[in-house]
Amino acid sequence: MKLSYLLDGIELKSLSNHLAPDVNIQGISDNSQNINEGDLFVAVEGFEKDGHQYIDSALKKGAIAVIGEQPIASLPVPYIQVENSRQALGILAGNFYGNPSKHKTVIGITGTNGKTTTCYMLKHILESNGKSCSVIGTLQNIVNGERIQSSNTTPSSLVLHKLLSMSQDEVIIMEVSSHALTQWRTEGIEFDFCLFSNLHPEHLDYHSTMEEYFTAKLLLFNQLKANGKAIVNQDNPWGVKLTKILRSRGKTVCTIGESEENHLRISSLNSEESSALVETDNEYMTVHSPMNGVHNIYNTLMAYLTAKLIGVNQSDILRSIGEFKGVDGRFEIYKLVNGVTVIIDYAHTPDAISYCLTTAKQQGAPKITHVFGFRGNRDASKRKAMLSLTNKLSDKYILTLDDLNAVPPAEMITSLRNLHDAYGSDKGDIVPDRTLAIKQAIEDSQSGDWVVITGKGHEKYQQNFHLPTDSDRETVNFITKLNEKN
């Protein structure tokens, strides 16, 4: 593919060698180690390494053109200087793969909580009604029915455009993180529907303020197609703000919420039955969430409204919702032989923990032991709120390790002790080994008690623990079998 074609849509700062002759590009990479003969190398200034330092390495491996941000005048191949290499990479990838989002129904879901649940529920509804779906998200990527391991909620722009071009499915549903939006990973992708679930304090180590976090989420809606629609939860104050901004820009916005003006108006919520009485098109109906909790009622309604706008019949949507089996690592329920109920959930923000523990109480938990920790090198500002909430909502808690992310174990354990001393109580305990913390919580519980384990959900452990298990689910199963033998 000619380099001049790939550059379409990119604002160039300078151009060496005048692209003469106009080179034919075989592939694109922003990693010099992956360069093959005839490829274009895009030098991206990363958070740990600067791609401009690897231009010589890329040339030795066969790169025949280079794009970067720094002024470079002496390369033996065409060098294109751009303002933003990350943004350029997305446009290049789109052009290279034929801008596949233009020819698909593409749905982007953003928000602090609920992206994964809404994504998989919507996938289930659409596939139950004859529409094939690809999914790109936290748990995994699914394209043409094939499951592909996912390393990020939203992959790089090169991977995204490649996945979209591979997909023969009618609909592509994508979880879109704030990090991905500010790092231009979705650049060049056009969306038919953009969903906003909610916004709560999270990633403030990266975004600094809630306003900055909101501004990052807002970027997604700039990528709506001309006839695209935004679907917004207005029972979150940031959703109200988003709706006002989008409508002032002439965007079509469909809303969910309790006030009269919403397209899908919530008349009443029943937390015990996880259902909502809603009004739409001057008609009332009851929507039951197949997953427990008020937060999952909102996830269900988001999926319902999106499917309806796509054109699925209302009765078929409701039938499909009733058949949904849930999502890995999201309020997974285990009934143990000793009568203890164990919940495994991905919750790792104050609001998500509140939803999770409150839902357990609403489902009849007489006594709750909460096992959780904090991730190293992540937003420390939310830790006080997380501990204060669990101190309020649980009967006992055990602080333990989550992913260390290169933080020394001793340093993280000291942080746990300091937090416990400052914001905890005598109902709390510290057991650094995660598997032993879970074991203690289960074995100290009586029949009828609940143990809620949050933070990891579907994820595998990053470090080894005492028990030979690699996830919370495996740990619970291992302890259950161990106790049965004894």
Side-chain angles (χ1 to χ4, degrees), residues 61-108:
K61 295 200 71 174
I64 58 172
V66 177
I67 286 179
E69 297 175 6
Q70 299 176 5
I72 301 175
S74 58
L75 292 185
V77 300
Y79 177 74
I80 302 96
Q81 185 186 4
V82 297
E83 188 69 39
N84 186 321
S85 291
R86 291 180 184 274
Q87 184 178 20
L89 182 63
I91 298 172
L92 288 164
N95 291 338
F96 185 81
Y97 287 107
N99 294 300
S101 67
K102 294 179 181 292
H103 316 295
K104 302 280 186 182
T105 298
V106 185
I107 301 167

Side-chain angles (χ1 to χ4, degrees), residues 418-457:
N418 291 339
L419 285 160
H420 172 66
D421 291 342
Y423 309 112
S425 69
D426 56 7
K427 67 168 68 172
D429 198 0
I430 299 173
V431 180
D433 187 289
R434 191 176 184 90
T435 60
L436 296 182
I438 294 171
K439 184 173 185 289
Q440 178 176 312
I442 291 174
E443 293 181 349
D444 285 353
S445 296
Q446 305 296 318
S447 179
D449 292 349
W450 287 44
V451 173
V452 178
I453 309 164
T454 64
K456 293 294 292 175

Side-chain angles (χ1 to χ4, degrees), residues 353-414:
I353 283 175
S354 178
Y355 295 151
C356 189
L357 296 177
T358 299
T359 299
K361 285 181 175 293
Q362 290 168 344
Q363 299 303 308
K367 182 181 178 183
I368 296 174
T369 298
H370 183 201
V371 181
F372 73 113
F374 310 102
R375 299 196 173 185
N377 283 330
R378 292 296 186 268
D379 184 5
S381 65
K382 64 184 180 182
R383 293 176 182 175
K384 173 184 174 182
M386 290 169 67
L387 183 51
S388 297
L389 277 166
T390 197
N391 193 32
K392 175 183 176 182
L393 295 173
S394 63
D395 300 278
K396 181 180 179 181
Y397 66 83
I398 301 178
L399 286 174
T400 190
L401 294 180
D402 202 311
D403 295 340
L404 291 173
N405 295 323
V407 174
E411 181 180 326
M412 200 67 217
I413 293 168
T414 298

Side-chain angles (χ1 to χ4, degrees), residues 172-421:
I172 295 169
I173 309 170
M174 187 186 309
E175 296 180 52
V176 185
S177 69
S178 58
H179 288 66
L181 290 163
T182 56
Q183 294 169 14
W184 305 94
R185 289 187 229 157
T186 61
E187 183 67 21
I189 295 175
E190 298 180 12
F191 293 86
D192 296 86
F193 300 94
C194 291
L195 281 61
F196 176 85
S197 60
N198 50 64
L199 200 71
H200 298 291
E202 169 76 327
H203 304 308
L204 297 184
D205 55 332
Y206 181 81
H207 296 295
S208 300
T209 66
M210 285 298 292
E211 191 65 40
E212 188 178 316
Y213 186 23
F214 171 77
T215 301
K217 296 293 190 183
L218 179 60
L219 293 171
L220 173 65
F221 298 84
N222 296 336
Q223 296 175 232
L224 275 169
K225 295 177 180 177
N227 61 344
K229 295 181 175 65
I231 301 171
V232 179
N233 168 21
Q234 285 209 120
D235 283 350
N236 180 273
W238 294 99
V240 175
K241 181 173 182 174
L242 177 63
T243 297
K244 290 179 180 177
I245 292 172
L246 294 179
R247 284 180 175 160
S248 72
R249 297 178 180 178
K251 304 290 186 182
T252 301
V253 186
C254 301
T255 60
I256 293 170
E258 295 183 344
S259 57
E260 292 285 346
E261 78 274 6
N262 288 292
H263 293 80
L264 191 63
R265 187 180 77 84
I266 301 172
S267 177
S268 63
L269 291 168
N270 187 326
S271 57
E272 292 184 3
E273 295 183 1
S274 291
S275 67
L277 178 65
V278 299
E279 180 186 4
T280 178
D281 300 327
N282 297 317
E283 178 185 351
Y284 283 90
M285 64 176 178
T286 299
V287 178
H288 291 272
S289 170
M291 301 178 69
N292 296 322
V294 170
H295 58 298
N296 281 318
I297 298 175
Y298 279 91
N299 296 334
T300 302
L301 294 178
M302 294 289 284
Y304 168 89
L305 183 54
T306 307
K308 189 174 182 183
L309 290 171
I310 288 174
V312 183
N313 179 274
Q314 175 177 300
S315 60
D316 290 332
I317 297 174
L318 296 176
R319 171 187 52 79
S320 300
I321 289 173
E323 297 168 351
F324 185 60
K325 302 300 184 185
V327 182
D328 285 350
R330 271 62 176 177
F331 212 81
E332 287 186 18
I333 302 175
Y334 297 83
K335 300 285 189 180
L336 307 188
V337 292
N338 63 353
V340 174
T341 297
V342 176
I343 302 297
I344 294 176
D345 196 270
Y346 187 57
H348 56 278
T349 67
D351 292 274
I353 283 175
S354 178
Y355 295 151
C356 189
L357 296 177
T358 299
T359 299
K361 285 181 175 293
Q362 290 168 344
Q363 299 303 308
K367 182 181 178 183
I368 296 174
T369 298
H370 183 201
V371 181
F372 73 113
F374 310 102
R375 299 196 173 185
N377 283 330
R378 292 296 186 268
D379 184 5
S381 65
K382 64 184 180 182
R383 293 176 182 175
K384 173 184 174 182
M386 290 169 67
L387 183 51
S388 297
L389 277 166
T390 197
N391 193 32
K392 175 183 176 182
L393 295 173
S394 63
D395 300 278
K396 181 180 179 181
Y397 66 83
I398 301 178
L399 286 174
T400 190
L401 294 180
D402 202 311
D403 295 340
L404 291 173
N405 295 323
V407 174
E411 181 180 326
M412 200 67 217
I413 293 168
T414 298
S415 295
L416 294 181
R417 288 185 177 133
N418 291 339
L419 285 160
H420 172 66
D421 291 342

Side-chain angles (χ1 to χ4, degrees), residues 1-174:
M1 188 174 292
K2 294 294 184 183
L3 178 57
S4 58
Y5 175 82
L6 292 177
L7 295 175
D8 184 44
I10 299 175
E11 187 174 343
L12 310 181
K13 290 184 70 174
S14 68
L15 180 66
S16 71
N17 294 352
H18 307 291
L19 296 183
D22 193 1
V23 293
N24 194 40
I25 301 297
Q26 301 300 314
I28 304 171
S29 180
D30 59 346
N31 186 332
S32 62
Q33 294 182 346
N34 298 334
I35 288 289
N36 295 310
E37 187 72 36
D39 283 356
L40 166 65
F41 176 63
V42 182
V44 174
E45 188 173 335
F47 299 103
E48 297 180 358
K49 298 180 180 179
D50 186 349
H52 295 83
Q53 298 175 358
Y54 298 89
I55 290 175
D56 287 344
S57 174
L59 294 177
K60 289 176 182 177
K61 295 200 71 174
I64 58 172
V66 177
I67 286 179
E69 297 175 6
Q70 299 176 5
I72 301 175
S74 58
L75 292 185
V77 300
Y79 177 74
I80 302 96
Q81 185 186 4
V82 297
E83 188 69 39
N84 186 321
S85 291
R86 291 180 184 274
Q87 184 178 20
L89 182 63
I91 298 172
L92 288 164
N95 291 338
F96 185 81
Y97 287 107
N99 294 300
S101 67
K102 294 179 181 292
H103 316 295
K104 302 280 186 182
T105 298
V106 185
I107 301 167
I109 305 174
T110 199
T112 304
N113 300 313
K115 294 187 295 294
T116 302
T117 299
T118 304
C119 174
Y120 278 87
M121 189 178 297
L122 182 56
K123 175 180 184 289
H124 170 77
I125 294 169
L126 296 179
E127 290 190 332
S128 296
N129 290 282
K131 295 182 181 294
S132 59
C133 295
S134 292
V135 164
I136 299 171
T138 304
L139 295 180
Q140 62 198 334
N141 301 322
I142 306 174
V143 178
N144 305 325
E146 180 183 350
R147 298 176 184 272
I148 305 166
Q149 186 173 355
S150 171
S151 57
N152 296 100
T153 296
T154 313
S156 72
S157 56
L158 274 173
V159 172
L160 267 180
H161 284 282
K162 183 177 181 180
L163 290 173
L164 265 64
S165 70
M166 290 168 48
S167 175
Q168 299 172 16
D169 297 315
E170 297 172 70
V171 181
I172 295 169
I173 309 170
M174 187 186 309

